[in-house]
Amino acid sequence: MKLLYKPLSLAVSALGGVLAGMLFKQAWKAATGEDDAPEATSSDYSTKEVLLAAVLQGAIFGGVKAAVDRAGAKAYTKATGKELD
C-alpha cells in the first residue's frame, strides 16, 4: 500500500500547486486590484512590491502544501491503520 502513496501523493501535490496558484492570483487581485503579480525581473514595480508578491506567494504555496501533505498522511493512516515513516 505504501508503494501507492508516493504516486498518489505526487498527483495530489500537483493539484495542490494549481489550487495554490489560483488562490495566490485571487489574493493578489484582492490586495492590489491587478490581475498579475510582478515578475522579479520587472522594472515596472518597486523592489518592495516584488518582494511582497514573492512572500505572499510563498506563504500561500507553503500553506497549501502543508495542508495537502497533512491530509494525505491522515488518509493513508486511516486507510491502512499505519503511520507514515
Side-chain angles (χ1 to χ4, degrees):
M1 188 71 155
K2 194 169 183 177
L3 289 173
L4 290 175
Y5 179 76
K6 283 287 186 188
L8 289 175
S9 174
L10 289 173
V12 171
S13 290
L15 291 174
V18 171
L19 173 64
M22 291 171 26
L23 288 172
F24 170 68
K25 188 169 180 127
Q26 289 177 350
W28 185 257
K29 187 170 185 170
T32 66
E34 296 181 17
D35 289 331
D36 297 317
E39 296 288 328
T41 56
S42 177
S43 59
D44 295 334
Y45 296 90
S46 69
T47 300
K48 182 179 177 180
E49 290 172 308
V50 169
L51 293 177
L52 176 62
V55 167
L56 179 61
Q57 186 177 35
I60 290 172
F61 272 80
V64 169
K65 182 183 181 333
V68 166
D69 288 350
R70 184 71 181 144
K74 284 181 140 185
Y76 177 83
T77 300
K78 186 175 182 178
T80 65
K82 298 177 184 177
E83 297 284 326
L84 285 171
D85 294 69

